[in-house]
Amino acid sequence: MFLQQLINGLTVGSVYALIALGYTMVYGILGLINFAHGEIYMTGAYLGVIFFGIFTVMGLTAKSLTLSIILTFILSIVYSSAYGYTIEKIAYRPLRHAPRLSPLITALGVSIFLQNYVMLSQGAKDKVFPTILSGGFTIGNATVSNLQIFIMVTSVVLMVLLHLFITKTRIGTAMRATAQDKKMASLLGINVDNVISATFIIGSGLAAAGGMMIAMHYGLINFYMGYVAGLKAFTAAVLGGIGNIPGAMLGGIVLGLVEALGAGYISSEYKDVFAFGILILVLLFKPSGLLGENLQEKV
Amino acid sequence: MPESSYFKILSVLILITLPLFGCKKGEEPVANVIKIGTAGPMTGDQSAFGQDQQNGVKLAVEEWNLKGGVLGKKIELVVGDDQHDPKQAVSVANKMVNDGVAGMVGHFNSSCSIPASKIYNEQKIPMITHGSTNPQLTEQNFKGIFRVCGRDDQQGKKAAELVINELKAKSVAILHDKTTYGQGLADEFRKGVEGQVKVTYHGGLTQGDKDFSAALTNVKTGNPDLIYFGGIYPEGGLLVKQSRALGIKAPLMSGDGVIGEEFLNIAGADAEGTYATFAPDVNKIPSAAGFVRTYTKKHGKPGPYSVYAYVAANILLHGIKDANSADGEKISEAIHKIKYDGALGSIEFDEKGDVKMSPYVIWQVKGGKWEQISK
Amino acid sequence: MKRVLFDMLTYLLIPLWFVLLTLPFLGISGSIKLGAVLLVCSAFIKIVETQYIASLPNILENRVERIKNRAKKIDGRLNMGVMLLILVLLPFTLNRYSIDIAIIAGIYIVLALGLNIVVGLAGLLALGYIAFYAVGAYTFALLSTQYHVSFWTALPIGGLLAAVFGLLLGAPTLRLRGDYLAIVTLGFGEITRIILNNWDALTGGPNGVMDIGRPEIFGYRFNTPAAFYYLILIMAIITATVVKRLNESRIGRAWVAIREDEVAAEAMGIDTTKMKLLAFSLGAAIAGIAGVFYAAKMSFVSPESFTFLESIIILCMVVIGGIGSIPGVILGAVVLIVLPETLREFQDYRMLVFGASMVIMMIFRPQGLLGSSARRMELEPVDERALGHEDESLYDIKKGERLE
């Protein structure tokens, strides 16, 4: 029972973490809550269904399931990154020097737009992702499906890759520098615009991967799925300390676990209350989040 | 202070904008047209239902217009979008009043139908809902408010009877999606089985959520013979799927919200054996065959509520025809007298506006298809 | 020549980019159609000259300034009385539906003015404002159906209770800065809605509360749209006056000081905690009062009316209208209520257009429709200060590490 809830929580938590990374990276650099990020996750899931459908029709799936899954993943991530990049260029870049609440409004506008764009083009009905990678095994009296393992492993791999990217590559270093001090970074010859674009591209790609995996896991997607997921992922990002990458990962996992255990042991009706409740509690005792540093205000 | 001057200008602005959109149309009804309205969640997260409804009503109107309309006039359909928000439902209702509709089909959600029904009742416009199953709607005893669908209490009772008498289940777990519809259904079902069947678990889920493993893990510990779910197909489909993944063998039973292709697509092979209470099979009623054929040709497969919307529109138009007038009170009276034979079988209304016969029969998924298994 | 070719290429590339982008969603024919439309548009932009487009914000700015100036001129001729008279006569010229929209706009004007105290004046980003509105609405709903309390008694009670909630939430959380406060209030808003939906014994759960009493005065029962219109008109005028007076008072100046620089404000002897709490509870009280009115007008409340999206819409009204400016906030509320209604003509496309217009509006007037220049100076620049206290780096660059 406890083990089962633990596994349930970890699965959901690792997807929250993937989406939360996008929030946290954008926030770290732009100080912007990118409310459209949840919609990118939704777009990614839709693209997954669409591309997988195309491959199935083409007969690729029948020939090699693994190849078609990998191709679907790559295409969907590339496409979603392109969406993220475009959104940044259209909706956020012109507002770089605007009052700070203005980009928040464009983010919401983009979010409403994308939801309706997908609804109108793909229909309002739920889309079904065919069951693949079925089967699983039991540990004690808990059931673990292969997909759950797949989700957890992929998430960890992606996060490790991101970590390496941020710490080891040139552009990763530029990202950190920009997050720390934009003006200084640009004085040192870093093209801040490119760094911001890269941030959106990477964050969107991760969200799309999360969306794809959710589509595979639950087998059901709809055009409004990004809203709740985005809200939860944002919560996870703040929980871990917004702007902090390991924090977002930790926040996602903690949030998933709290939800699963709270819903399992106390009441499933109040599932979301536990998620937001734990957030409020953590912030009250450690206002900068679990891993965020408590910076003193500069006077 | 500049603020005060803006304030005045602003008021002028407000003044200018309001009449602009307010008086655009509907000042006086065009003589040669009879308008009927339909309102529901046309956009937003429940738009799938709204679109089904709109298509069903449209089809009915088109058919009537082909036959020459009603009272010798063409029928014009006014579509309203309430986004399943009670506040917008009231706005839409007022807009319908303005547009001078003779009658309404809708709204879909009980939480919208209830506040909107007050407006229609005040203005004596008959309203036939095709999907609001909350008993409270007709318990208001408004004269012109009808529904062609059943009530949650009838449906829950029917399901409970089946569980006790036929399936002879010893224990059930009850879940619902915490909406007016789902919770009402689950509560009525519980009332029906209380004392005769052991309830191992009773809990709510969040509509729109995808992960029910936490609640299902609890269901699993109780090891029930059957899971009853009050709610609609996305959650229903995921519930079956996830319960099988967790190793729960008990079949699922639910209400009319899970009927339809969507549920089967979502749940896949796991759907097999699922029970549902619903109206008699449209495909088995000869008079409905035409509906299914034309609907499929025009808009694709009918959704679970397309038929209800279609029938509701037909009854409304018959009412207008029988009353021989576009006057709301007369139409309501005529509808009360109607005995309509159509795609949903024979329909008559009681004095509250509910259908007289309990319209529910039992369905089950067999060989990947929904089939009617009881009379 | 090279230049021209390059130009042409970019104008071709942009539509092509969108064709590729929308291909999986719209299908081949759909995306090509879109591409064609974009091609025509970009050709048009080329012809009209990019310079004009680039200067559009400035042109718009001038327009708005001109309207403002004209407003000042008309001001001399038009006095408050005439204005009021027009507003009072309004219901006689409008149909039922328009009056209903006017009432809803009125409710949102009150709400947006209340949120403006919190966000615009005190600079506290709150994303769960709808919770206070819900508290007010449910207060009256329950008092009316359970104890037959009249509207007029419930009005202050609803406001007071919402203010108490504001204090309860504000006291522990207001020391959080910026976006942390935003997310905590967001969480609070969601928790409130979930509790309303689940506490069946008290709130009726998803069924909501029905048959809430209508206001009565000297035996006259409010049941026509016009009656509610007058009621909300009076409430909106009172709220606007209160907010305006507050804005110009010591308290208002203290709020602005806190918003601009909290440390400096504290050094100047302003009790920042007290002032922030005051702003929070005052904003909450106004929302509570609006909630009572909403319950009375609908005579039905259910948790569906108090979603996160509503909080967001109210915030949009404040920002789109022009943060901190009272006429701006009023205009923002009217625009955001009227726009989706006028867009009903677009039917299924209306929310798509709505989302796009929010983006466009902000790109062309980031300071809001009637954002005043003084406020703009106060709010800008975003880069250094806004990020100043929270720019925790993605990773700390260790001392001596090379940016290579």
Side-chain angles (χ1 to χ4, degrees):
Chain A
M1 171 76 181
F2 176 73
L3 193 63
Q4 184 72 61
Q5 301 289 22
L6 207 65
I7 295 164
N8 298 342
L10 279 175
T11 319
V12 182
S14 44
V15 175
Y16 285 159
L18 274 185
I19 315 171
L21 285 171
Y23 272 110
T24 236
M25 285 166 67
V26 168
Y27 190 90
I29 289 183
L30 283 180
L32 160 76
I33 306 173
N34 180 12
F35 269 110
H37 192 61
E39 269 27 272
I40 293 286
Y41 154 85
M42 178 271 293
T43 315
Y46 262 87
L47 287 163
V49 171
I50 293 168
F51 286 124
F52 193 76
I54 293 174
F55 290 140
T56 311
V57 172
M58 279 165 55
L60 185 67
T61 313
K63 251 184 241 156
S64 164
L65 182 67
T66 331
L67 183 66
S68 103
I69 290 177
I70 291 172
L71 277 181
T72 308
F73 255 85
I74 292 173
L75 272 175
S76 151
I77 288 173
V78 167
Y79 250 97
S80 303
S81 301
Y83 268 92
Y85 170 79
T86 315
I87 289 169
E88 194 270 328
K89 254 198 144 149
I90 294 179
Y92 302 145
R93 189 159 296 181
L95 291 172
R96 194 74 55 76
H97 301 286
R100 69 173 311 205
L101 279 180
S102 307
L104 197 71
I105 306 300
T106 48
L108 292 164
V110 168
S111 169
I112 295 175
F113 181 87
L114 277 181
Q115 270 190 27
N116 284 279
Y117 160 69
V118 172
M119 180 197 106
L120 289 167
S121 59
Q122 293 294 305
K125 292 211 165 105
D126 299 84
K127 289 257 169 208
V128 175
F129 199 96
T131 314
I132 38 177
L133 283 180
S134 58
F137 51 92
T138 49
I139 314 171
N141 52 2
T143 323
V144 191
S145 73
N146 291 340
L147 253 175
Q148 282 176 313
I149 300 289
F150 173 75
I151 289 177
M152 285 184 246
V153 170
T154 317
S155 306
V156 171
V157 168
L158 284 173
M159 285 186 237
V160 168
L161 284 179
L162 179 70
H163 182 89
L164 290 177
F165 178 80
I166 296 276
T167 47
K168 300 278 187 263
T169 64
R170 233 181 118 90
I171 186 140
T173 316
M175 267 182 187
R176 285 183 287 149
T178 315
Q180 220 168 35
D181 193 329
K182 245 196 290 191
K183 203 167 253 170
M184 190 62 198
S186 71
L187 283 176
L188 289 172
I190 292 172
N191 186 335
V192 175
D193 279 349
N194 285 352
V195 168
I196 290 169
S197 290
T199 312
F200 271 84
I201 288 171
I202 294 168
S204 304
L206 291 174
M212 285 272 306
M213 292 197 291
I214 283 293
M216 285 164 70
H217 184 40
Y218 298 125
L220 171 71
I221 57 168
N222 40 43
F223 66 93
Y224 53 90
M225 68 191 276
Y227 159 68
V228 176
L231 215 58
K232 292 274 177 67
F234 178 44
T235 307
V238 179
L239 187 64
I242 196 155
N244 183 305
I245 287 179
M249 302 179 193
L250 181 69
I253 304 284
V254 169
L255 197 70
L257 285 177
V258 165
E259 268 189 22
L261 295 177
Y265 285 102
I266 309 172
S267 154
S268 59
E269 296 169 9
Y270 286 99
K271 188 171 157 187
D272 291 356
V273 170
F274 302 125
F276 293 115
I278 193 84
L279 171 86
I280 292 177
L281 275 181
V282 167
L283 286 187
L284 286 185
F285 292 107
K286 197 163 181 321
S288 48
L290 289 173
L291 293 188
E293 276 172 67
N294 213 344
L295 288 185
Q296 277 303 310
E297 197 177 340
K298 297 164 205 153
V299 181
Chain B
M1 211 54 215
E3 298 261 352
S4 69
S5 63
Y6 300 175
F7 187 74
K8 288 169 198 169
I9 270 313
L10 237 129
S11 321
V12 176
L13 252 170
I14 299 167
L15 268 178
I16 297 164
T17 46
L18 272 177
L20 257 182
F21 69 88
C23 306
K24 205 158 14 185
K25 57 177 169 184
E27 287 305 276
E28 47 192 277
V30 186
N32 289 326
V33 167
I34 289 220
K35 285 183 185 172
I36 68 165
T38 186
M42 302 302 163
T43 63
D45 53 8
Q46 298 202 2
S47 43
F49 288 112
Q51 301 295 340
D52 283 346
Q53 165 192 351
Q54 194 180 333
N55 291 339
V57 178
K58 251 188 203 153
L59 189 65
V61 169
E62 280 162 15
E63 285 176 4
W64 276 73
N65 273 337
L66 274 182
K67 285 186 282 177
V70 68
L71 306 182
K73 294 171 186 170
K74 283 267 169 223
I75 304 153
E76 190 188 312
L77 180 64
V78 185
V79 180
D81 176 17
D82 63 25
Q83 295 186 318
H84 76 92
D85 168 6
K87 174 176 80 259
Q88 293 211 41
V90 170
S91 291
V92 169
N94 277 312
K95 186 167 186 296
M96 292 293 173
V97 172
N98 261 355
D99 287 349
V101 297
M104 281 298 295
V105 175
H107 298 214
F108 178 68
N109 308 76
S110 298
S111 56
C112 291
S113 293
I114 292 171
S117 68
K118 292 188 205 305
I119 309 271
Y120 298 127
N121 181 55
E122 262 171 40
Q123 299 296 315
K124 309 277 177 241
I125 293 174
M127 159 183 153
I128 309 178
T129 173
H130 62 294
S132 298
T133 45
N134 191 324
Q136 283 179 333
L137 177 65
T138 44
E139 291 298 327
Q140 300 177 100
N141 280 322
F142 291 154
K143 215 174 145 263
I145 308 296
F146 306 88
R147 70 172 123 216
V148 289
C149 51
R151 293 163 50 124
D152 294 335
D153 37 2
Q154 297 170 330
Q155 204 177 153
K157 217 184 285 165
K158 181 83 186 176
E161 277 166 19
L162 178 86
V163 168
I164 297 165
N165 301 333
E166 315 233 339
L167 302 179
K168 304 215 168 19
K170 294 276 171 301
S171 57
V172 291
I174 302 175
L175 292 165
H176 57 85
D177 65 358
K178 259 336 279 199
T179 60
T180 314
Y181 166 74
Q183 191 179 5
L185 205 56
D187 287 352
E188 291 302 331
F189 176 77
R190 179 160 193 162
K191 264 188 228 159
V193 295
E194 199 82 82
Q196 310 200 45
V197 178
K198 197 176 141 219
V199 178
T200 61
Y201 181 81
H202 188 123
L205 309 164
T206 312
Q207 195 190 12
D209 203 351
K210 302 256 177 306
D211 191 62
F212 308 119
S213 46
L216 282 170
T217 306
N218 283 335
V219 168
K220 191 183 174 186
T221 9
N223 197 20
D225 294 338
L226 182 110
I227 304 169
Y228 187 81
F229 173 61
I232 52 176
Y233 62 85
E235 286 80 22
L238 289 173
L239 265 180
V240 195
K241 218 172 144 180
Q242 289 173 20
S243 63
R244 296 293 176 269
L246 282 173
I248 301 170
K249 300 268 178 335
L252 186 89
M253 176 179 247
S254 188
D256 53 351
V258 302
I259 288 282
E261 292 292 310
E262 303 288 323
F263 174 81
L264 300 175
N265 287 340
I266 294 163
D270 296 331
E272 201 64 24
T274 302
Y275 297 95
T277 39
F278 190 54
D281 191 348
V282 181
N283 297 308
K284 286 185 182 157
I285 301 169
S287 53
F291 163 78
V292 177
R293 215 176 319 116
T294 9
Y295 189 98
T296 313
K297 202 158 59 191
K298 285 208 162 132
H299 310 288
K301 277 229 162 71
Y305 285 97
S306 309
V307 196
Y308 285 98
Y310 173 78
V311 168
N314 267 305
I315 293 179
L316 177 63
L317 292 169
H318 267 290
I320 297 173
K321 193 175 134 200
D322 292 354
N324 200 16
S325 147
D327 177 72
E329 273 181 281
K330 284 184 191 151
I331 300 170
S332 298
E333 256 170 56
I335 295 177
H336 269 293
K337 284 185 209 141
I338 269 178
K339 186 174 187 309
Y340 175 79
D341 285 302
L344 282 172
S346 180
I347 289 182
E348 275 179 274
F349 294 101
D350 64 13
E351 64 285 356
K352 279 180 186 159
D354 291 321
V355 280
K356 267 188 187 157
M357 295 271 293
S358 167
Y360 291 107
V361 296
I362 307 291
W363 289 60
Q364 193 181 19
V365 181
K366 281 184 173 172
K369 262 193 218 135
W370 282 109
E371 269 180 37
Q372 185 181 336
I373 59 164
S374 81
K375 251 325 231 177
Chain C
M1 192 57 211
K2 218 176 176 182
R3 178 72 210 259
V4 175
L5 264 175
F6 180 76
D7 265 15
M8 273 174 64
L9 211 64
T10 43
Y11 281 102
L12 269 174
L13 275 178
I14 293 171
L16 191 68
W17 174 257
F18 280 96
V19 168
L20 284 176
L21 210 55
T22 52
L23 188 64
F25 285 99
L26 302 181
I28 294 169
S29 67
S31 57
I32 287 177
K33 261 181 229 159
L34 181 87
V37 171
L38 283 175
L39 200 64
V40 172
C41 284
S42 63
F44 178 75
I45 290 171
K46 176 79 195 140
I47 292 163
V48 183
E49 268 189 358
T50 23
Q51 300 234 315
Y52 176 75
I53 302 286
S55 62
L56 212 58
N58 290 331
I59 294 172
L60 246 118
E61 176 82 1
N62 290 337
R63 269 291 138 82
V64 173
E65 287 305 322
R66 230 183 295 152
I67 292 175
K68 279 183 189 168
N69 287 333
R70 210 171 296 161
K72 272 179 208 149
K73 257 186 233 160
I74 301 171
D75 193 26
R77 283 170 249 156
L78 206 80
N79 58 36
M80 209 65 183
V82 177
M83 212 39 258
L84 260 177
L85 193 69
I86 297 173
L87 279 173
V88 165
L89 291 177
L90 198 61
F92 296 101
T93 61
L94 293 181
N95 56 32
R96 224 189 136 84
Y97 163 63
S98 306
I99 297 174
D100 191 63
I101 300 301
I103 296 169
I104 293 177
I107 297 177
Y108 279 90
I109 287 173
V110 174
L111 283 171
L113 284 169
L115 185 63
N116 186 41
I117 297 181
V118 183
V119 179
L121 300 184
L124 306 164
L125 181 54
L127 290 179
Y129 190 62
I130 204 71
F132 305 123
Y133 179 55
V135 168
Y138 269 86
T139 303
F140 178 50
L142 296 174
L143 284 178
S144 164
T145 49
Q146 310 278 333
Y147 304 105
H148 304 287
V149 174
S150 81
F151 174 78
W152 307 106
T153 328
L155 208 57
I157 298 178
L160 214 65
L161 212 63
V164 169
F165 266 82
L167 281 178
L168 282 180
L169 173 71
T173 53
L174 281 179
R175 65 197 177 91
L176 298 174
R177 303 279 323 233
D179 299 310
Y180 290 92
L181 179 68
I183 183 84
V184 167
T185 51
L186 186 158
F188 171 73
E190 283 294 285
I191 289 176
T192 309
R193 185 183 57 79
I194 297 166
I195 290 176
L196 288 177
N197 201 29
N198 284 317
W199 194 354
D200 297 3
L202 182 73
T203 63
N207 293 330
V209 184
M210 278 176 69
D211 293 322
I212 301 164
R214 293 275 159 100
E216 271 176 51
I217 193 161
F218 306 125
Y220 172 74
R221 198 153 176 272
F222 284 64
N223 51 12
T224 61
F228 279 105
Y229 169 81
Y230 290 123
L231 190 56
I232 194 69
L233 179 65
I234 292 167
M235 285 169 67
I237 290 175
I238 292 174
T239 316
T241 320
V242 168
V243 175
K244 187 171 172 297
R245 296 296 288 263
L246 269 175
N247 197 4
E248 290 158 8
S249 71
R250 251 180 96 87
I251 299 173
R253 286 196 298 277
W255 281 335
V256 174
I258 293 173
R259 182 184 71 203
E260 293 312 311
D261 193 334
E262 193 171 337
V263 179
E266 200 153 11
M268 298 306 289
I270 295 170
D271 186 344
T272 52
T273 319
K274 208 172 106 191
M275 278 299 153
K276 287 204 282 188
L277 271 180
L278 183 67
F280 219 70
S281 48
L282 214 68
I286 290 176
I289 289 170
V292 172
F293 175 84
Y294 174 75
K297 188 236 160 200
M298 296 287 287
S299 125
F300 170 81
V301 290
S302 68
E304 277 159 323
S305 309
F306 309 103
T307 55
F308 173 59
L309 197 70
E310 293 284 319
S311 293
I312 289 299
I313 294 280
I314 301 169
L315 183 68
C316 289
M317 290 167 177
V318 174
V319 178
I320 285 180
I323 206 162
S325 139
I326 294 170
V329 167
I330 295 174
L331 183 66
V334 174
V335 166
L336 281 199
I337 292 300
V338 172
L339 193 64
E341 295 298 327
T342 33
L343 293 179
R344 276 195 194 280
E345 305 294 316
F346 289 87
Q347 296 212 345
D348 294 350
Y349 291 88
R350 76 183 177 119
M351 290 317 280
L352 189 83
V353 179
F354 181 65
S357 42
M358 265 166 77
V359 176
I360 294 166
M361 232 186 257
M362 277 295 110
I363 289 176
F364 285 111
R365 272 195 80 77
Q367 72 273 37
L369 293 170
L370 290 185
S372 56
S373 43
R375 297 258 186 269
R376 217 178 317 138
M377 263 160 60
E378 287 164 5
L379 287 164
E380 264 176 74
V382 66
D383 315 49
E384 291 89 3
R385 208 196 24 242
L387 294 176
H389 51 276
E390 273 152 357
D391 67 343
E392 275 134 47
S393 42
L394 287 173
Y395 272 79
D396 270 335
I397 297 178
K398 287 178 203 84
K399 256 190 200 146
E401 193 182 21
R402 284 225 207 109
L403 278 175
E404 180 52 57

